[in-house]
Amino acid sequence: MHWIHLTSEDQLQNIVVRSEEKPQVIFKYSSRCFLSDVIFKRLQQKSCPEQVDFYFLDIISYCKLSDAVAGKFHVQHESPQVLVIKDGECVFDESHSQINMEEILEQAIETIQ
């Protein structure tokens, strides 16, 4: 699994632009949350299709950026959390133990078709 580390607001703007071409997925991770590790390892076991970009956001190191993501896409901040971005909008978000790759891909691929 290839993760793009999300570390700047410029990248966040790029996600919005790129979401016009293909779905963008943001995974919000907290090193202080055991469940974040469990979900991250679960996601790592899957392969990601080329038609979707996957971003990893460490919310402890990039707290302000995490807040910007929540504000930009009008979602409540949670961790762990996954967002699927298409056409500049969050079309799906899930958190905690409800996060699974099959549903992420279903939502992302559905937006392509």
Side-chain angles (χ1 to χ4, degrees), residues 2 6 21-22 24 30 37 53 65 74 96 100 102:
H2 173 70
L6 179 54
E21 302 166 16
K22 66 180 182 175
Q24 307 290 294
S30 171
D37 274 335
D53 290 333
L65 183 56
H74 311 288
H96 299 91
N100 69 71
E102 291 76 18

Side-chain angles (χ1 to χ4, degrees), residues 47-100:
S47 61
C48 63
E50 290 182 19
Q51 68 261 38
V52 181
D53 290 333
F54 284 82
Y55 289 84
F56 178 92
L57 173 56
D58 178 342
I59 67 166
I60 302 301
S61 297
Y62 300 97
C63 183
K64 288 183 182 181
L65 183 56
S66 177
D67 290 341
V69 168
K72 180 79 171 170
F73 298 114
H74 311 288
V75 297
Q76 182 175 339
H77 165 75
E78 298 189 67
S79 173
Q81 183 177 32
V82 68
L83 291 80
V84 177
I85 312 302
K86 177 67 177 158
D87 297 326
E89 302 290 327
C90 180
V91 297
F92 174 79
D93 78 283
E94 194 61 79
S95 65
H96 299 91
S97 61
Q98 301 301 312
I99 297 172
N100 69 71

